[in-house]
Amino acid sequence: MNSLDGIVHGLAIAATPTHLLYTLIGVFIGTLISHLPGIGPSAGIALLIPVTFGMDPTTALMMLTGIYYGCMYGGAVTAILLNTPGDAAAVMTVLDGYPLARKGRAAATLAIAAVSSFIAGMIGVTALSFVAAPLAAFALHFGPAEYFALICFALSTVSALTGKSLAKGMLAVFLGLGLATVGIDLQSGVARFTLGFVQLQDRVNFLVVVVGLFAIAEVSRMVEGALGGTLHTVKVDGKLWFTRAEWRRARPAIFRGSFVGFLCGAAPGLGGTLSAMLSYVLEKKLSKHPEEFGHGAIEGVAAPEAATNADTCGAFVHLLALGVPGSGATAVIMGAFIMYGMQPGPMLFHTQPDLVWGLIASMYIGNIMLLVLNLPLVGILSRILYIPPRVLLCVILVIASTGVYSFNNDTFDLFLALFFGVVGYVFRKFDIPKAPLLFGLILGHTLEQSFRQALTISNGDPTTFLRSPIAATLLGCAAVSIAASLWSRRKEMVALSNELRDRVPDHQLADEPR
């Protein structure tokens, strides 16, 4: 059965009333889960696997898959409205989504996020249907050296997120990389930098850091504004729908983000965080108005949202074509496959074609369902900003605290989130960007492990990173990216110096002491 015949056959299976009902249940539950920081798709799927006992395997897997991309679909809501990303992938959406909401464009921002997710989801499923096997075969060429080079390249692009000061941005990156070393060393089994706390042996929880840096820091801003009398209720301005000008700016970003997201999803272990980051950086590099990013650029919402949703489709490339999970959520779904006595992989297309093509086709239908579910809620959700600031402050604290505590059921995480809340407040006061710290924390562990694994395999030979054509190319791209960033900063400083010199009269410059 070729891809086109498979899609048609799968649509006939997915369109049965039972399958439609459970697909709808899955995407609805996934959307609800995405609004609660801390649960995430992996935990949500794992919690609901026992509910599927005794169900038809195709029906159960359609529902569990719907939870996965439903979580990715709705993750933008708390990021845009409450400055609280529900998972790592939503961090990039916060950077421009929340500033747009503060400008009264919350409804339009939610709408563009929903449309971006829908388009990227449809593109991703189509790509999954036609290029799954070839792309999976290429991704198998990635070993430790290639992953190390890829992450180096990703971190080299962080300069686009550092704001006006490259030094402050790099400080945040290295703080994140330092936090990534906390915990048990996988090679030696020794606890590192835990300060005697047993809870830190399992590494610093990303959710705790995100909630502290964004949610609790936002609460501190609101308290400060309330005491100073500068905090006011945000009103939704203009139309609930995005304008034609916003759509013209967002449209190319959606397609580029979909492409980047699917490629990152097809490479196992990268996840939606890296795809969102790379798509955001790409848009800022290509934008005619890069100064708007971080202050409310619509492309800064459309691109990462598209990348995150296309990434979920890319993650199924390895699961279905090779039987290798491409993310944490697909690893849980693979467990459900095995529970039903099926082994994902190339033979699954021959032994269970109804299940495979029905599952892929259900993703088309699920994306349409999510668009229908989310767009009518845009106006209702945007009214959250009408809540009095003091009440909204309590809502943010309750959501953040519940998400942090539910992860490990440990009050230590609450105190750690409070600590990072103080860090976030200090970062805001000194204008230090938060995103580079988070990406240092997210990518630091994989960077270290890939580096050590590559050296172990090569018996300590550092040239192993140059002998691989893929790794050497990526490291070269990283070097070019760093050089370009330094050159652009130097040009900005020279231009600023010349502008200041033009504004100061010549006789004043002559009178200044050398």
Side-chain angles (χ1 to χ4, degrees):
M1 187 181 298
N2 60 43
S3 298
L4 188 58
D5 291 338
I7 293 172
V8 174
H9 179 66
L11 285 172
I13 296 170
T16 60
T18 302
H19 292 159
L20 287 174
L21 175 62
Y22 280 93
T23 300
L24 178 61
I25 292 173
V27 298
F28 180 72
I29 292 174
T31 304
L32 293 181
I33 289 174
S34 68
H35 296 167
L36 299 173
I39 298 181
S42 301
I45 296 168
L47 287 171
L48 290 170
I49 280 182
V51 179
T52 66
F53 287 163
M55 291 174 58
D56 174 67
T58 303
T59 305
L61 289 167
M62 284 181 181
M63 186 181 77
L64 296 176
T65 303
I67 294 172
Y68 181 24
Y69 55 84
C71 280
M72 298 297 101
Y73 220 98
V77 174
T78 54
I80 292 170
L81 298 180
L82 303 179
N83 198 34
T84 307
D87 55 21
V91 170
M92 302 311 303
T93 306
V94 167
L95 300 183
D96 286 280
Y98 188 68
L100 279 168
R102 299 298 301 176
K103 293 177 181 178
R105 299 293 294 156
T109 308
L110 289 171
I112 202 70
V115 172
S116 301
S117 300
F118 169 73
I119 295 174
M122 300 301 279
I123 292 173
V125 179
T126 303
L128 170 63
S129 305
F130 288 95
V131 302
L135 197 56
F138 173 75
L140 283 179
H141 290 88
F142 273 64
E146 288 76 16
Y147 276 116
F148 171 78
L150 178 62
I151 294 173
C152 284
F153 172 65
L155 289 176
S156 72
T157 64
V158 167
S159 60
L161 311 175
T162 57
K164 298 178 181 178
S165 174
L166 183 61
K168 291 179 180 179
M170 297 312 296
L171 170 65
V173 170
F174 285 111
L175 284 175
L177 291 173
L179 287 172
T181 63
V182 175
I184 298 292
D185 178 24
L186 295 182
Q187 272 72 28
S188 64
V190 176
R192 304 182 300 180
F193 312 117
T194 59
L195 303 177
F197 293 105
V198 178
Q199 293 90 341
L200 292 178
Q201 291 184 0
D202 194 27
R203 300 165 59 189
V204 177
N205 189 331
F206 171 80
L207 172 70
V208 173
V209 180
V210 166
V211 168
L213 284 179
F214 287 96
I216 297 179
E218 177 63 18
V219 168
S220 69
R221 183 197 67 81
M222 294 174 70
V223 170
E224 190 176 39
L227 295 176
T230 59
L231 186 65
H232 306 288
T233 302
V234 178
K235 300 296 182 183
V236 178
D237 294 335
K239 298 179 180 179
L240 295 180
W241 197 248
F242 45 83
T243 64
R244 289 186 179 181
E246 289 172 331
W247 172 243
R248 282 195 297 270
R249 292 180 58 176
R251 185 172 51 200
I254 293 171
F255 288 101
R256 285 190 290 261
S258 302
F259 179 74
V260 172
F262 186 79
L263 289 181
C264 288
L270 297 186
T273 307
L274 186 60
S275 62
M277 172 186 170
L278 291 178
S279 64
Y280 184 92
V281 170
L282 177 64
E283 289 310 311
K284 187 173 182 180
K285 294 288 186 183
L286 297 177
S287 175
K288 297 179 180 178
H289 306 284
E291 70 281 354
E292 295 182 10
F293 280 73
H295 303 285
I298 198 69
E299 306 98 309
V301 175
E305 281 299 303
T308 301
N309 284 272
D311 177 90
T312 62
C313 302
F316 276 92
V317 169
H318 270 261
L319 178 64
L320 297 178
L322 298 174
V324 178
S327 65
T330 52
V332 180
I333 293 174
M334 182 175 177
F337 269 97
I338 295 171
M339 182 184 75
Y340 281 104
M342 293 175 288
Q343 178 61 48
M347 292 305 297
L348 192 66
F349 283 81
H350 300 285
T351 59
Q352 299 285 343
D354 289 356
L355 184 145
V356 172
W357 291 111
L359 185 63
I360 292 174
S362 73
M363 297 171 74
Y364 283 106
I365 297 173
N367 273 286
I368 296 173
M369 289 178 174
L370 282 167
L371 187 68
V372 174
L373 281 174
N374 281 272
L375 284 184
L377 296 176
V378 163
I380 299 172
L381 290 173
S382 63
R383 294 303 191 276
I384 290 176
L385 298 176
Y386 282 83
I387 298 174
R390 291 175 176 81
V391 178
L392 189 59
L393 184 151
C394 297
V395 171
I396 295 174
L397 277 180
V398 168
I399 292 175
S401 302
T402 303
V404 168
Y405 183 77
S406 64
F407 196 84
N408 288 319
N409 295 327
D410 193 342
T411 55
F412 175 83
D413 289 338
L414 293 174
F415 288 107
L416 194 60
L418 181 61
F419 168 76
F420 281 106
V422 175
V423 173
Y425 179 80
V426 173
F427 271 35
R428 184 168 62 84
K429 285 296 182 183
F430 288 93
D431 198 24
I432 301 175
K434 301 171 186 176
L437 185 149
L438 293 174
F439 288 114
L441 174 62
I442 294 167
L443 302 176
H445 180 73
T446 306
L447 179 74
E448 180 191 11
Q449 295 305 317
S450 298
F451 179 75
R452 296 172 72 175
Q453 289 169 2
L455 290 181
T456 301
I457 293 170
S458 64
N459 293 320
D461 182 9
T463 61
T464 185
F465 299 104
L466 301 177
R467 289 201 302 268
S468 166
I470 297 175
T473 302
L474 288 171
L475 288 175
C477 291
V480 171
S481 176
I482 293 171
S485 297
L486 294 175
W487 176 253
S488 63
R489 299 280 174 167
R490 181 179 179 276
K491 286 179 63 178
E492 290 175 6
M493 294 301 296
V494 170
L496 180 61
S497 176
N498 292 336
E499 183 179 351
L500 292 174
R501 184 176 295 275
D502 292 339
R503 291 180 180 180
V504 178
D506 293 339
H507 68 273
Q508 290 187 16
L509 290 174
D511 293 339
E512 289 181 0
R514 296 186 179 273

